[in-house]
Amino acid sequence: MRKPIDDLVVYGNKNVRDGKKTLPFGSSAVNQIKITPANSNTRILSGAQSFSYGQSGFASQLKPGVAGGTAGGPMNLGLNSERLRHQMVTRLKQKGITDTRVLAAMQAVPRHIFVDQGLASRAYEDAALPIGFSQTISQPWIISRMLSIVCEDRNPRKVMEIGTGCGYQAAVMAHLFPAVYSIERIKGLYDMAREHLRDLRLVSKVSLTFGDGMLGLPSYAPFDAIVIAAAGMEIPGVLLSQLSVGGRLIAPEGTSNQRLVLIERTGQDSWDRTELEAVRFVPLRSGIQS
């Protein structure tokens, strides 16, 4: 049961007393957002290694990984990928992931086809890896953590992902949810994700859009859950308005100091906010990049 720390509400870098605030997005204003501490069993990340996932700064534009390859590459790794995925899932269990639905989805998706051939041997490590365009494929733990949060005591059916990247998380989500909508703003990554999802025969399960993720997909809203794979100063109000009542949004928030944030829509004009552990993701940006 979540209990507020006190009557201080923080949204972005603004403080509000008495749990009430009118935010600058019109009739969809979040006029009641409560901060609560993370549960005591939440894994709090610290140290440079813990902050490895989601980091930018990879200057090279890597060639997308493929599901084939030469000797020693992804094809050979693919022969052992089921065993390696099982080991990955075992580590996730050891790190506190207990949702059997999420674990089964992580087991089902061959992560090695989503990375460059030169990094395929590291595909099942619990680490972020560069995918080009100064972006990364998130570490398996943070993906399973975020999905476990939106699935806890729920069975979301229609889910939106902001930041498709290479398509790995979207593929995992396709094994969890009947309808997945995913937006990518970088054309090269959009094309990469589409190719990967086609190789896995998941294009019919994931509706992929090249566009500005900060705008969401209002024509398909409301969504039972929204998963954001990049960190902004605050959660865009337009995305909060696309949650169904009872829906959950999970996202990193902040710049140099980021935290994972869970927002639950409790009514037409009310949302609850829970701050979780420290994280590090690439920045959330508006617009598109061709």
Side-chain angles (χ1 to χ4, degrees):
M1 179 176 181
R2 300 186 178 93
K3 297 181 179 179
I5 298 173
D6 51 29
D7 64 345
L8 175 65
V9 170
V10 179
Y11 193 81
N13 54 9
K14 298 179 181 178
N15 298 339
V16 181
R17 295 284 174 181
D18 301 323
K20 295 184 182 295
K21 177 175 176 63
T22 300
L23 296 175
F25 45 90
S27 60
S28 298
V30 179
N31 51 30
Q32 188 172 0
I33 300 181
K34 298 181 290 185
I35 287 187
T36 54
N39 293 332
S40 59
N41 62 352
T42 297
R43 177 184 173 209
I44 304 299
L45 306 182
S46 62
Q49 184 175 4
S50 297
F51 287 163
S52 62
Y53 56 84
Q55 292 190 42
S56 59
F58 298 97
S60 60
Q61 301 298 305
L62 298 178
K63 181 180 178 181
V66 294
T70 56
M75 182 177 289
N76 283 357
L77 178 60
L79 299 176
N80 300 316
S81 67
E82 186 173 352
R83 175 177 59 84
L84 293 172
R85 291 200 302 278
H86 178 74
Q87 293 174 353
M88 178 188 74
V89 169
T90 298
R91 288 194 300 271
L92 294 176
K93 291 179 182 178
Q94 294 170 348
K95 293 179 179 180
I97 304 301
T98 60
D99 192 307
T100 56
R101 298 166 296 175
V102 173
L103 292 170
M106 297 293 289
Q107 176 69 45
V109 180
R111 191 171 187 250
H112 66 279
I113 78 165
F114 290 87
V115 301
D116 184 81
Q117 291 185 26
L119 295 171
S121 63
R122 298 189 57 198
Y124 296 100
E125 296 177 6
D126 193 27
L129 298 172
I131 55 174
F133 305 94
S134 298
Q135 304 296 307
T136 60
I137 179 175
S138 294
Q139 71 176 118
W141 182 84
I142 194 61
I143 290 175
S144 58
R145 167 74 171 145
M146 293 172 76
L147 295 178
S148 293
I149 290 171
V150 299
C151 287
E152 184 178 1
D153 301 321
R154 306 287 174 89
N155 289 295
R157 300 192 60 79
K158 187 166 67 170
V159 179
M160 178 169 64
E161 176 191 36
I162 307 300
T164 315
C166 60
Y168 175 67
Q169 183 171 263
V172 174
M173 292 169 67
H175 287 272
L176 274 172
F177 311 118
V180 177
Y181 297 80
S182 187
I183 311 174
E184 176 53 53
R185 63 177 294 273
I186 300 174
K187 186 60 162 63
L189 290 178
Y190 166 82
D191 291 337
M192 184 192 303
R194 184 174 55 181
E195 180 180 346
H196 289 151
L197 293 171
R198 183 184 298 118
D199 289 342
L200 293 178
R201 299 180 180 179
L202 293 175
V203 289
S204 63
K205 297 184 178 181
V206 179
S207 178
L208 191 58
T209 298
F210 171 54
D212 186 347
M214 292 184 73
L215 302 178
L217 294 169
S219 59
Y220 294 98
F223 297 97
D224 300 322
I226 298 175
V227 180
I228 304 180
M233 280 293 294
E234 59 184 33
I235 310 301
V238 69
L239 297 182
L240 297 180
S241 69
Q242 292 177 34
L243 269 180
S244 61
V245 174
R248 290 174 172 167
L249 180 149
I250 186 79
E253 187 180 79
T255 53
S256 57
N257 296 313
Q258 300 175 8
R259 298 198 73 82
L260 200 60
V261 172
L262 169 66
I263 295 179
E264 300 182 68
R265 189 168 192 174
T266 57
Q268 190 61 35
D269 297 306
S270 61
W271 289 254
D272 281 356
R273 169 189 170 96
T274 305
E275 289 194 355
L276 305 171
E277 60 266 36
V279 292
R280 186 66 180 269
F281 280 76
V282 295
L284 180 67
R285 302 187 187 281
S286 60
I288 58 172
Q289 179 180 321
S290 300

